[in-house]
Amino acid sequence: MSSLISVVMPCLNAGRYLQEAVDSVLGQQLPAPWQLELLLVDDGSRDPLTLELIDKARSDPRVRVLVNDKPGGVSRARNQAISAAQGTLIAFHDADDKWQAGHLATHIRLLHEPPRLSWRPVGLSQASAMES
């Protein structure tokens, strides 16, 4: 099983927030042997700052940029990235969001540790609505 997590980030003219969003993903410290890839989907951005930041993000080998010539909507952009994802896990991150340090590590740990809850069957009886 691959130890790669694919982070899907659709983007449309989000220059004002994009750098912080990308940095919060790329700054995640993952437990060994996990690695991440960021799939940044430019959904037809025209904003010069957004285009500049997308070009800057390309310099990181963990980032793959997918480009749409015209906006197709956030759902289409996410689906496009999911189709291109190489990871065994997929996480979603919007271009105006910021993850706290340890966000992905916590999710990976929770997915792979044994559950701490247990349950036991309890006898149930059906009460009649007519009983008083």
Side-chain angles (χ1 to χ4, degrees):
M1 174 167 101
S2 166
S3 296
L4 181 67
I5 184 165
S6 299
V7 179
V8 170
M9 184 185 298
C11 174
L12 176 62
N13 298 323
R16 186 170 153 194
Y17 310 102
L18 186 59
Q19 186 65 58
E20 195 169 25
V22 169
D23 289 347
S24 79
V25 171
L26 297 179
Q28 294 293 306
Q29 298 293 317
L30 301 179
W34 287 93
Q35 297 182 22
L36 71 80
E37 68 171 346
L38 172 58
L39 293 126
L40 182 57
V41 184
D42 175 13
D43 197 29
S45 296
R46 299 286 178 247
D47 170 45
L49 178 57
T50 301
L51 297 173
E52 177 184 329
L53 293 172
I54 289 170
D55 279 342
K56 180 181 175 186
R58 288 179 202 266
S59 66
D60 190 304
R62 298 171 293 173
V63 177
R64 287 195 292 149
V65 177
L66 309 172
V67 179
N68 295 328
D69 292 333
K70 60 182 180 177
V74 69
S75 296
R76 183 178 139 213
R78 282 190 184 115
N79 288 336
Q80 181 181 6
I82 290 168
S83 294
Q86 297 176 347
T88 55
L89 298 176
I90 296 177
F92 297 96
H93 191 287
D94 290 334
D96 61 351
D97 289 344
K98 178 183 174 184
W99 278 342
Q100 297 297 317
H103 177 83
L104 284 178
T106 298
H107 285 273
I108 290 169
R109 180 180 53 79
L110 290 172
L111 283 168
H112 289 92
E113 73 181 20
R116 289 188 238 160
L117 300 175
S118 63
W119 67 277
R120 62 182 177 158
V122 177
L124 300 176
S125 62
Q126 185 174 14
S128 169
M130 300 300 283
E131 293 177 357
S132 306

